[in-house]
Amino acid sequence: LDYIRYNHLANGWSETDFANLEAMGANIDNVKALIEKTFYGVEGESIDDQYIFNALRNGDPDATLIAQYRRQNVVNLAKTVINAAKAVNPDLIMSAAFMPEGAVFEGSADKAFADLHYGQNYVDGAELYDYIIPMAYSASYGYSPEDMAQIAKNVVGVGAKVVMGLQSNYPTTSVNLTEEIEAIRLASL
């Protein structure tokens, strides 16, 4: 499954989303303020593109509920698709393409970003899919071959089987790909 995630935290907020979050116990005024301060700015203040992510990292209850809500929506969609597919062919192997941010390693973005922004979590994925494919596109993200190996190790570390999604388009070269494959192969997975 490709793109089994939200496309952006700033997009797609409906009255139904707000009603569902409120039913979970969220303060909707605070939910809206978290989103506005992060992506749109508030009059007299500059945009703080880490505001909602820092709120989650610091245990803000509304940011926590947003992350739970988005993760659960992605899980529910995945379960529906997987169950329908396996009803047709029970032997079908299911995999999903994941953004790399949730496979935390030193200096990377982190799980708060992945949970809030995409609603995509590697622990959830380990339970759902036969394989997870981190789209760890080294040229796009500035990852070294060692970073690629660490991403693979971290995904395996949450109990998932992993097939690395490597970037093969420009500016990646065959030398880059060979180095990444070798680093991943040498990693203790």
Side-chain angles (χ1 to χ4, degrees):
L1 304 174
D2 193 7
Y3 223 111
I4 185 87
R5 63 183 183 274
Y6 283 88
N7 70 336
H8 199 286
L9 181 56
N11 300 334
W13 290 99
S14 69
E15 291 306 315
T16 300
D17 290 315
F18 292 129
N20 290 339
L21 281 166
E22 189 170 45
M24 293 172 66
N27 174 328
I28 298 308
D29 289 335
N30 189 46
V31 168
K32 291 177 180 179
L34 289 166
I35 295 164
E36 288 171 11
K37 287 181 181 182
T38 306
F39 299 107
Y40 305 109
V42 177
E43 190 172 325
E45 296 180 25
S46 60
I47 293 173
D48 177 355
D49 65 356
Q50 290 300 303
Y51 190 78
I52 195 169
F53 306 108
N54 286 332
L56 180 58
R57 291 178 196 112
N58 294 323
D60 180 274
D62 295 319
T64 300
L65 287 172
I66 295 167
Q68 290 171 352
Y69 176 70
R70 290 169 71 88
R71 281 177 62 184
Q72 193 58 52
N73 286 341
V74 171
V75 166
N76 289 343
L77 175 60
K79 283 181 178 178
T80 300
V81 171
I82 290 166
N83 290 339
K86 291 211 175 203
V88 175
N89 181 354
D91 297 325
L92 194 63
I93 294 172
M94 297 299 297
S95 66
F98 268 52
M99 297 301 287
E101 288 90 345
V104 178
F105 62 96
E106 189 66 32
S108 77
D110 67 336
K111 294 177 186 172
F113 183 85
D115 285 355
L116 281 167
H117 197 65
Y118 302 120
Q120 199 174 54
N121 185 285
Y122 281 89
V123 173
D124 298 338
E127 295 175 15
L128 289 167
Y129 308 109
D130 299 300
Y131 293 93
I132 294 178
I133 305 165
M135 297 182 299
Y137 301 155
S138 58
S140 295
Y141 291 98
Y143 293 152
S144 70
E146 293 74 25
D147 293 338
M148 301 293 280
Q150 190 62 54
I151 290 169
K153 286 173 72 170
N154 289 353
V155 177
V156 169
V158 299
K161 292 181 181 175
V162 64
V163 174
M164 290 298 288
L166 304 177
Q167 185 171 6
S168 61
N169 61 312
Y170 180 82
T172 301
T173 66
S174 60
V175 171
N176 299 123
L177 282 171
T178 301
E179 290 170 351
E180 292 168 8
I181 291 167
E182 191 60 22
I184 294 165
R185 184 178 294 137
L186 292 174
S188 297
L189 303 177

